Amino acid sequence: QVHVVESGGGLVQPGGSLRLSCADPRVILSVFTSDTVAWYRQGPGKLRELVAVSTSGGDTNYADSVRGRFTISRDNARKRVYLQMNNVEPEDTGVYYCNILRRGSEYWGQGTQVTVSS
């Protein structure tokens, strides 16, 4: 059973930084290294949108709105994927969701709230 857990959200001031973490504690390493993992977000009154993605092959891609400010990375030894958020803006406020694509099926976490406000 896949259990996606996000952590690291909170309140941050504009221009500040935050790091989100995504993990599936029960996954075995050989499976995790084949996963494609992505971060999505849903702002107030907005549709859910893709923020960043990390493929098993090491490729990454970003939404134009976060490119140059956010970095997605994976620590395969810890079976975690991180989203480093720098120079955050109020428009980055929302619930951030981790999505794992594993063997053709998608799995979602419950989300972690990020609020950017002074």
Side-chain angles (χ1 to χ4, degrees):
Q1 184 176 358
V2 181
H3 183 55
V4 183
V5 180
E6 303 106 333
S7 61
L11 174 64
V12 59
Q13 292 186 344
S17 297
L18 208 60
R19 189 176 78 160
L20 307 183
S21 175
C22 171
D24 174 12
R26 304 171 189 171
V27 70
I28 61 174
L29 182 58
S30 60
V31 172
F32 177 77
T33 55
S34 299
D35 290 343
T36 291
V37 183
W39 285 97
Y40 287 74
R41 69 184 179 189
Q42 186 165 13
K46 298 181 180 179
L47 298 175
R48 190 174 297 189
E49 63 175 350
L50 177 66
V51 175
V53 61
S54 169
T55 71
S56 60
D59 294 327
T60 58
N61 203 5
Y62 299 90
D64 289 342
S65 59
V66 306
R67 186 173 288 113
R69 300 188 297 120
F70 291 9
T71 302
I72 188 170
S73 62
R74 58 198 302 159
D75 184 340
N76 285 334
R78 295 177 184 267
K79 297 178 287 184
R80 288 181 177 271
V81 173
Y82 300 100
L83 183 68
Q84 178 67 43
M85 307 167 60
N86 295 331
N87 194 23
V88 296
E89 303 169 352
E91 293 74 21
D92 296 321
T93 293
V95 179
Y96 284 68
Y97 298 92
C98 180
N99 172 279
I100 294 178
L101 177 62
R102 177 176 297 161
R103 295 172 174 171
S105 296
E106 286 190 273
Y107 304 92
W108 293 88
Q110 292 188 325
T112 184
Q113 175 71 44
V114 172
T115 302
V116 182
S117 176
S118 55

